[in-house]
Amino acid sequence: MGNRPEELRALLDSVAKQDGDRVEAVVVGNGSPVPDVPAGVRTIELPENLGIPGGRNVGIEAFGPGGRDVDVLLFLDDDGLLPRTDTAQLCREAFDADPELGIISFRIADPDTGETQRRHVPRLRAADPMRSSRVTTFLGGANAVRTKVFGQVGGLPDDFFYAHEETDLAWRALDAGWMIDYRADMVLHHPTTAPSRHAVYHRMVARNRVWLARRNLPALLVPVYLGVWLLLTLARRPSKPALKAWFGGFKEGWTSPCGPRRPMKWRTVWRLTRLGRPPVI
């Protein structure tokens, strides 16, 4: 967003220090000017903020249609940093070793405490963030995607703007036969934050949750999935303003276009269940 020039420079320096072949970097200014970057880093400045998925899709296209000019794309938040120099090489080795692997989700850790927030472990059993495993979604600000995935299932959903765009892509990738790994040894340092710091958080989370279900789930599971999330939201006892925004977004999700509907196969539902997260929660 152009307001963290020092953090961005530190991130790009950490990318440049990666072992093995050079990692080509592109910085997308999402409705903002791009600050000075090191030589050799490409930049794209968009006239307006397209949201997280829209901005990342522009970054994908910088590497050819669907990113096809490269084999793998890393997505890294501009206030993150790669503390290890072998992360890119670990990605290369992981994708080379497993032809079914489509997406890798990195572990996000606070640079001062080393803590990994529970919400940054993309599975239900999140008590041990140091355990790597197959998962059913991934973290948007710290991941690697095989570009063949984009070529097969398309990019991130632009209209989501913020929230759940990763799960939308993850479900489409899993339905196409790809797998997703959470790797505890691939680390991005990122300050501990709360997602509710974004003013649009509650509305977007609710709206996009409905869109996610309408786009991707078999019809029988749509009310189950959304009913479970309604109960979970109420159980967390949000403030009245937050709850009002949430219900406004929930209504918007039903009354506004969600994009193309491509319900996943029932065998994908079973795959998600075997991986530990059936698509009802």
Side-chain angles (χ1 to χ4, degrees):
M1 297 302 296
N3 57 358
R4 296 187 281 242
E6 294 181 2
E7 291 89 340
L8 174 62
R9 173 63 70 123
L11 170 65
L12 294 172
D13 288 345
S14 72
V15 171
K17 293 175 182 176
Q18 292 298 300
D19 300 334
D21 294 338
R22 175 179 173 270
V23 178
E24 185 178 354
V26 171
V27 176
V28 178
N30 208 351
S32 67
V34 177
D36 291 337
V37 297
V41 174
R42 289 190 286 159
T43 63
I44 301 172
E45 293 187 357
L46 303 177
E48 62 178 311
N49 182 0
L50 301 182
I52 294 173
R56 288 183 177 150
N57 283 336
V58 170
I60 293 169
E61 295 300 309
F63 296 94
R68 68 186 183 190
D69 293 347
V70 294
D71 296 323
V72 174
L73 286 168
L74 305 181
F75 297 88
L76 305 170
D77 274 357
D78 64 349
D79 55 346
L81 184 142
L82 297 173
R84 296 173 47 160
T85 62
D86 63 347
T87 302
Q89 187 60 32
L90 288 173
C91 283
R92 297 184 187 102
E93 292 171 357
F95 285 117
D96 285 344
D98 186 353
E100 291 186 341
L101 181 61
I103 303 171
I104 298 173
S105 188
F106 296 3
R107 180 169 63 89
I108 294 179
D110 185 274
D112 297 322
T113 66
E115 175 190 4
T116 295
Q117 293 178 273
R118 185 179 180 88
R119 69 184 182 90
H120 284 155
V121 182
R123 58 177 179 244
L124 291 179
R125 296 179 180 177
D128 182 9
M130 301 306 294
R131 178 173 66 88
S132 300
S133 69
R134 294 282 203 201
V135 289
T136 61
T137 188
F138 64 99
L139 306 174
N143 64 80
V145 183
R146 195 190 296 266
T147 51
K148 287 182 179 179
V149 173
F150 295 123
Q152 187 171 359
V153 307
L156 295 155
D158 286 341
D159 289 342
F160 277 44
F161 196 84
Y162 165 79
H164 303 318
E165 67 274 1
E166 303 93 351
T167 300
D168 187 87
L169 176 61
W171 282 1
R172 285 183 281 129
L174 288 162
D175 197 48
W178 297 100
M179 300 300 291
I180 305 169
D181 278 357
Y182 166 73
R183 288 284 297 263
D185 57 337
M186 299 183 190
V187 182
L188 181 81
H189 276 174
H190 188 282
T192 298
T193 58
S196 55
R197 71 191 187 278
H198 299 291
V200 298
Y201 171 76
H202 297 286
R203 181 175 70 87
M204 291 292 193
V205 162
R207 184 197 69 179
N208 292 359
R209 183 80 69 184
V210 178
W211 282 359
L212 179 69
R214 290 175 59 198
R215 286 164 58 95
N216 295 286
L217 291 181
L220 288 175
L221 294 185
V222 172
V224 179
Y225 177 80
L226 295 176
V228 168
W229 278 105
L230 172 60
L231 293 175
L232 285 173
T233 299
L234 294 174
R236 291 167 179 165
R237 303 178 67 181
S239 67
K240 287 185 179 180
L243 194 59
K244 181 180 179 180
W246 192 93
F247 274 110
F250 193 79
K251 179 181 178 181
E252 185 183 350
W254 286 107
T255 58
S256 58
C258 65
R261 172 166 166 76
R262 299 187 181 95
M264 66 178 65
K265 308 173 189 72
W266 282 103
R267 68 184 181 189
T268 305
V269 173
W270 176 236
R271 171 186 275 194
L272 289 162
T273 302
R274 286 190 292 111
L275 289 170
R277 189 158 197 161
V280 294
I281 188 169

